Amino acid sequence: WNASLVLLNHLKTKFKDDFKGKRVLEFGSGLGHLAWGMYKLGAHVTATDTPMGDLKALRGRVAGWLKEDPGSRLTSDEQGAAMSGGADGDAS
């Protein structure tokens, strides 16, 4: 997951305002670091993984995010997590 943190840092530095209101689909999101970061940049994010991946950990992270950001619209199901209306984004 170090690569996702490096990519997120790059996106925050170079493209911070470009993700507000955009839809992002992340395949193989693992622990969801990149997905959460994109959500915080204002994107509407769907993070997915497979049962053979780390879907259980992703669901756990979503539960933690719900506590951290109670106004968010986060959901979790068998396929992964969906995050709508990032911290700086439009919650529509």
Side-chain angles (χ1 to χ4, degrees), residues 1 3 7 16 20-24 27-28 40 46 48 51 61-62 73 76 78 80 84-85 87-88 90:
W1 52 268
L7 176 58
K16 182 178 181 177
K20 290 182 181 176
K22 299 287 196 284
R23 295 186 181 274
V24 174
F27 291 104
K40 290 297 218 175
T46 300
T48 64
R61 298 287 294 185
V62 169
R73 292 174 31 191
S76 176
E78 293 178 7
S84 296
D88 298 322
D90 162 36

Side-chain angles (χ1 to χ4, degrees), residues 5-78:
L5 297 177
V6 170
L7 176 58
L8 180 58
N9 186 52
H10 174 73
L11 295 174
K12 284 181 179 179
T13 303
K14 301 287 184 183
F15 306 101
K16 182 178 181 177
D17 296 323
D18 293 349
F19 291 99
K20 290 182 181 176
K22 299 287 196 284
R23 295 186 181 274
V24 174
L25 175 60
E26 183 185 10
F27 291 104
S29 56
L31 296 176
H33 292 89
L34 182 60
W36 179 244
M38 300 286 289
Y39 166 78
K40 290 297 218 175
L41 290 175
H44 301 271
V45 180
T46 300
T48 64
D49 212 321
T50 67
M52 294 177 65
D54 211 351
L55 190 55
K56 184 177 179 180
L58 178 60
R59 286 189 190 126
R61 298 287 294 185
V62 169
W65 295 333
L66 283 169
K67 292 177 186 172
E68 181 180 324
D69 192 358
S72 64
R73 292 174 31 191
L74 306 179
T75 60
S76 176
D77 63 22
E78 293 178 7

